[in-house]
Amino acid sequence: MRRIGRGALVALLAAAALSAAHSQSLRPTPISQPAATFGPFSGVARQGTLLLGTAPAGTTQLTLDGAPIEMARDGRFLIAFDRDAGPHAALVATLADGRSVTKDFDVAPGEWRLERLDRVARTPVPDAEFERRRPPELEQIKAARALRSDADGWRQRFIWPATGRISGLFGAQRIYRGEPGAYHGGVDIAKPTGSPVVAPADGVVILAAPSPFTLEGNLLMIDHGMGLNSAFLHLSQIEVRVGDHIRQGQEIGRVGATGRASGPHLHWAMMWQGRRIDPMRVAGAMN
């Protein structure tokens, strides 16, 4: 066996170390990906509220509790929490590189006006005419809400379609001997018949009832885009037609008492992708 001198051994070890260092330098340096986050949200997560947000850069899909959400090209989007929404919700953004970003919401409970009638039973009165007419009306409303337009009203700060005394609150509900009745799905504004009603935001008319509905009377519905729509009930007159593009503040009808109404008023209801929301929280304080 040939012996290697001390000097030769040192040279061999140095060469091996140099080779290892060179090999290490040839390996690609991992590129750290920037953190992806949602932009700030308008408002607070609460039952009956609507929030506007911005998706993380590179988002290709959005879901809220597993349901898909529409998103504009600039990443802006809407989410809303129903009057009876649960205490938690998860918003998930899927990015082009396969990553996902989750925003968890703790949904605060709403404060609804509840009236308990412990001595009164809930006894709906059968009405053959109502039972005959109601299904086709509901189908028209359902079909209208399924329509989508290119309206950008959802981006605007909403205004009140009419101003006056608030005579009915969103979410109000009667409890008959422990059995809850249907809650009030909008806000009522008491005004004299013939008072003007204006569009709270830009939109496209998706329903203008050709004749009064049994409950809603003369019903008008406007799509504001991104699955958000407004309904105006009990009108004495409708001044726009299906397909019309409406501008915020434009007169669209007149207050009335058509349908099942105890007096002249405007019932304004709002919905986002099947979730009922409180118009008062969208429009803010009435001036």
Side-chain angles (χ1 to χ4, degrees):
M1 179 180 292
R2 181 187 173 204
R3 294 180 177 272
I4 301 176
R6 179 181 179 83
L9 180 59
V10 171
L12 285 173
L13 291 175
L18 182 61
S19 176
H22 179 68
S23 175
Q24 184 70 22
S25 68
L26 294 178
R27 295 179 183 176
T29 303
I31 300 175
S32 59
Q33 297 180 346
T37 59
F38 286 95
F41 288 84
S42 63
V44 178
R46 183 183 298 274
Q47 289 177 331
T49 60
L50 178 73
L51 301 182
L52 182 67
T54 303
T59 297
T60 59
Q61 184 182 32
L62 278 175
T63 60
L64 180 65
D65 291 336
I69 296 174
E70 298 177 58
M71 181 179 63
R73 290 184 178 180
D74 61 359
R76 300 289 276 169
F77 64 91
L78 293 177
I79 59 172
F81 304 102
D82 189 81
R83 189 263 198 191
D84 296 326
H88 305 291
L91 178 66
V92 179
T94 302
L95 309 185
D97 59 12
R99 290 180 296 160
S100 63
V101 182
T102 300
K103 168 70 175 177
D104 292 315
F105 291 94
D106 291 324
V107 182
E111 298 176 356
W112 317 123
R113 178 174 293 178
L114 303 180
E115 183 180 1
R116 300 186 182 278
L117 304 175
D118 295 331
R119 297 184 179 181
V120 179
R122 185 184 179 190
T123 55
V125 179
D127 185 333
E129 179 65 10
F130 175 81
E131 295 294 335
R132 181 186 69 81
R133 293 180 54 190
R134 193 57 180 161
E137 294 173 351
L138 292 176
E139 284 300 318
Q140 290 185 61
I141 294 173
K142 180 180 178 181
R145 285 180 173 146
L147 296 175
R148 292 291 183 268
S149 74
D150 58 355
D152 269 343
W154 61 275
R155 295 180 182 269
Q156 296 173 315
R157 181 179 179 83
F158 278 59
I159 63 174
W160 283 88
T163 56
R165 180 176 62 86
I166 301 296
S167 57
L169 295 173
F170 173 85
Q173 188 176 34
R174 287 180 172 178
I175 313 296
Y176 301 89
R177 293 184 181 177
E179 181 184 358
Y183 67 81
H184 193 235
V187 59
D188 289 344
I189 308 162
K191 296 282 286 187
T193 296
S195 300
V197 176
V198 302
D202 292 358
V204 176
V205 178
I206 53 177
L207 178 62
S211 59
F213 282 17
T214 50
L215 293 183
E216 298 85 0
N218 290 322
L219 170 64
L220 173 65
M221 295 178 64
I222 295 177
D223 174 55
H224 302 295
M226 289 292 175
L228 179 66
N229 58 70
S230 286
F232 309 92
L233 283 61
H234 311 305
L235 300 174
S236 61
Q237 184 177 339
I238 296 175
E239 300 177 354
V240 290
R241 296 180 298 178
V242 171
D244 284 354
H245 287 253
I246 307 302
R247 292 298 182 187
Q248 185 179 59
Q250 176 181 338
E251 187 171 313
I252 55 177
R254 299 275 175 166
V255 172
T258 57
R260 292 192 180 179
S262 57
H265 71 279
L266 173 66
H267 175 100
W268 177 26
M270 295 190 72
M271 184 174 284
W272 174 80
Q273 292 195 3
R275 296 168 171 85
R276 295 187 180 276
I277 54 180
D278 185 356
M280 289 187 69
R281 294 194 176 275
V282 176
M286 183 185 295
N287 294 326

